[in-house]
Amino acid sequence: MSARFSLTGISDIALGKDLRDDTEIEHSRKGMSVLNSVSFFLAGVSVLFLIAFQINESVSLTWFFLSIALAFLLIPILARQGFEKTSKMMLIAYIDIGILVLSAVFGDEALIQAFFIPAMGLSILLFDNNHVYLRNIGISLSVISFVILDYIIFERVAIDATGYSWIRWSVLTCSFVTTWIIFNTFSEYREDAEYQTLELLEKEQELNRELSYNQQKMEEYIAQLEVTSEELEKSTKAKSEFLATMSHEIRTPMNAILGMTHLLKQDDPRPDQLEPINILDFSGKTLLSLIDDVLDFSKIEAGKIEFESIEFELDKLIDVIAESFSTTAENKGIELKVVIGDEIPNNLIGDPARLTQILNNLISNALKFTEEGEVLLAVKSIDNMEDRIELLFEVTDTGIGIEEHRIESIFESFTQASQDTKRLFGGTGLGLTISKQLVELQGGSLNVESSKGEGSSFFVELVFGKGIGKEKAKVDSNKIDTAEALKGFRILLAEDNLVNQKVMQRFLQRWEVVLTIVEDGEKAVEEMKRNNHDLILMDLQMPNMDGFDATAHIRKLDDPYKRNVPIIALTAAALKEVREKVYATGMNDYVTKPFNPAEMEQKLVNIAAMRP
């Protein structure tokens, strides 16, 4: 038991603190809130009686109410020390004693003995079905106290008044039985709800174990890829096809997991459901991040990585990154700061997706290994030329730091600073490896400065072109009511996976669209020939006819409206060659599975806003 027992614990309880060690805190806190509420309420009532009897000196009971008030205040503190069962029994005993004393003072005419009924109900509330014997002891104490009060203290039961006695005991028996049934029913409902919550948590834990097992199997597979790296050149084509299949097969079920989790979070879950849903969402996104790291690592090793050169806005990119980590930083009590130099142009030309991936990896590591202090992302100009600019991205943290002799090894594949780090923080050790290679493949550099226990600083140097800052005419979906914009919008969904059909159907129903679902590309073409639709969501890999062939057939229809209908590709293959083929086939846009609901919503609203 804890050695911190003291009267100062009252303030800790008022602040919601627990005085016990972590190992002493039980998972189940049934009856604790009832114990605290009743104890403090009765302490206040005792003080009022103390004042009343102090004023009226006809009966000297101030000593009793002073002692019982202190007892009621000390009971919650004793419970916080780990003596929960003892505290609950003491509370019931003190209540019974108080009723006895007050009944003896005021006589049976005041009917104070009726409070034994809620005292019995309190025993049921304080003890769950795992402690039935304690519950029965508490009820028995109240019954015995009533018998003592009625037959010994009052001594007014007339044995010959049979009718009066029968009526009196019948009423009391009904009261006891009714109270017993009500409180037992309430207790059973409460325990059933808690049991269902435990079942949900157990299912979530099982899912986490499965995710961990999948991660282990994935790491084992990567190890096998390293062993066969000498044959990589001969198997480039086969490996590229494998990556596309792997991406599709893994991302397809992940689309269902993350999509349904998003819907559950929006369905106003109960507080006891919210934590398991958040854990499921976090685990799913963690697994997706692991999959992306594995795919990127494999593409780099196979020489299949490619970079874009497009214009983007630096401030928006940094804002999105900072916003995505704000909740993590807030939960850990860490300040996340961003500083961008005034001399840096906002419109740059480069690969924003890869820059985001690099900075995400660095900031994620900084937050992971920092328990207090801050994480700073600073963007500075190194060399400002006429049409280009060399930038320095510095990510600094106040975390655990890295030992000097291990600094170089952290950029090696599947390597972390130490085995303790891997056990404490997890991860595959691919993030920094991928980041360094992505930076160097773009002609930049990634370096680190760190000392054990004093934090780390990572420095990324990259060259970008200067953009011209053209104004892009696009619909601001934030200013449009989604339900109003999409109401009655006719959408044809071509998707062979039944689970993904359900996920997409749940999302689109919220926006009141008119949805038609077909299972393959051939049926999508036939549906377009029969009916008009405002938009097609086209899966790429389907039986009978895939999304590419279906799009080619639709683009050749005689009806100009049907021939030019907007088509958005739904692809689980996050590869550049797939995206290029999407546009080459005649599709208007694409969404990668697992899709981002906000991104999907914006694309649909933009297209709906342009319809006649």
Side-chain angles (χ1 to χ4, degrees), residues 11-207:
S11 63
D12 290 334
I13 293 176
L15 295 175
K17 297 181 180 178
D18 202 308
L19 303 180
R20 293 172 290 169
D21 296 331
D22 291 341
T23 54
E24 295 181 273
I25 300 175
E26 298 178 359
H27 292 294
S28 174
R29 296 173 181 259
K30 300 172 183 176
M32 284 300 296
S33 60
V34 175
L35 183 140
N36 290 333
S37 301
V38 173
S39 296
F40 290 128
F41 172 75
L42 292 178
V45 172
S46 300
V47 171
L48 292 177
F49 275 113
L50 185 151
I51 296 172
F53 280 101
Q54 183 66 29
I55 295 174
N56 183 5
E57 298 180 351
S58 60
V59 181
S60 179
L61 285 177
T62 55
W63 61 271
F64 171 75
F65 288 108
L66 177 60
S67 62
I68 204 170
L70 290 174
F72 284 134
L73 289 175
L74 289 174
I75 283 174
I77 300 176
L78 183 64
R80 294 281 178 171
Q81 297 290 326
F83 300 95
E84 294 182 12
K85 298 176 185 177
T86 304
S87 301
K88 293 174 181 178
M89 292 303 302
M90 287 178 61
L91 177 62
I92 295 170
Y94 274 113
I95 291 174
D96 290 337
I97 292 170
I99 295 173
L100 282 171
V101 172
L102 289 175
S103 297
V105 172
F106 291 104
D108 62 341
E109 299 299 329
L111 292 178
I112 295 175
Q113 59 269 34
F115 284 99
F116 282 120
I117 296 176
M120 292 174 59
L122 182 62
S123 299
I124 299 173
L125 288 178
L126 288 175
F127 298 106
D128 57 22
N129 287 338
N130 295 324
H131 302 94
V132 174
Y133 69 99
L134 291 177
R135 178 190 295 176
N136 292 335
I137 291 173
I139 294 171
S140 299
L141 284 177
S142 299
V143 173
I144 293 170
S145 298
F146 179 82
V147 172
I148 292 172
L149 181 66
D150 201 26
Y151 284 95
I152 298 177
I153 296 179
F154 291 153
E155 295 181 351
R156 293 184 180 179
V157 177
I159 299 176
D160 55 348
T162 306
Y164 172 79
S165 181
W166 274 106
I167 294 173
R168 184 163 178 254
W169 281 104
S170 297
V171 172
L172 288 173
T173 301
C174 291
S175 299
F176 282 129
V177 171
T178 303
T179 304
W180 179 283
I181 293 173
I182 291 172
F183 279 105
N184 262 309
T185 303
F186 173 81
S187 179
E188 289 174 3
Y189 284 152
R190 183 192 65 181
E191 288 164 8
D192 287 343
E194 290 169 349
Y195 177 77
Q196 292 174 4
T197 301
L198 287 175
E199 276 191 332
L200 182 60
L201 288 175
E202 288 172 359
K203 290 179 182 178
E204 178 271 326
Q205 290 170 357
E206 179 63 28
L207 177 59

Side-chain angles (χ1 to χ4, degrees), residues 204-272:
E204 178 271 326
Q205 290 170 357
E206 179 63 28
L207 177 59
N208 280 342
R209 285 193 290 270
E210 291 179 5
L211 292 176
S212 178
Y213 173 78
N214 291 336
Q215 177 177 335
Q216 181 181 355
K217 298 296 291 184
M218 189 72 71
E219 291 177 3
E220 293 173 358
Y221 185 76
I222 295 170
Q224 294 174 5
L225 286 178
E226 284 193 326
V227 173
T228 60
S229 60
E230 294 180 1
E231 301 177 5
L232 187 60
E233 224 175 280
K234 299 178 183 178
S235 61
T236 299
K237 182 178 180 180
K239 192 168 186 178
S240 178
E241 293 174 352
F242 165 75
L243 289 174
T245 302
M246 184 179 181
S247 175
H248 180 273
E249 294 302 322
I250 295 178
R251 285 173 171 271
T252 296
M254 286 305 300
N255 180 59
I257 293 172
L258 294 178
M260 284 299 185
T261 303
H262 181 84
L263 290 169
L264 287 174
K265 291 175 72 174
Q266 289 192 337
D267 284 342
D268 194 22
R270 301 192 311 269
D272 62 313

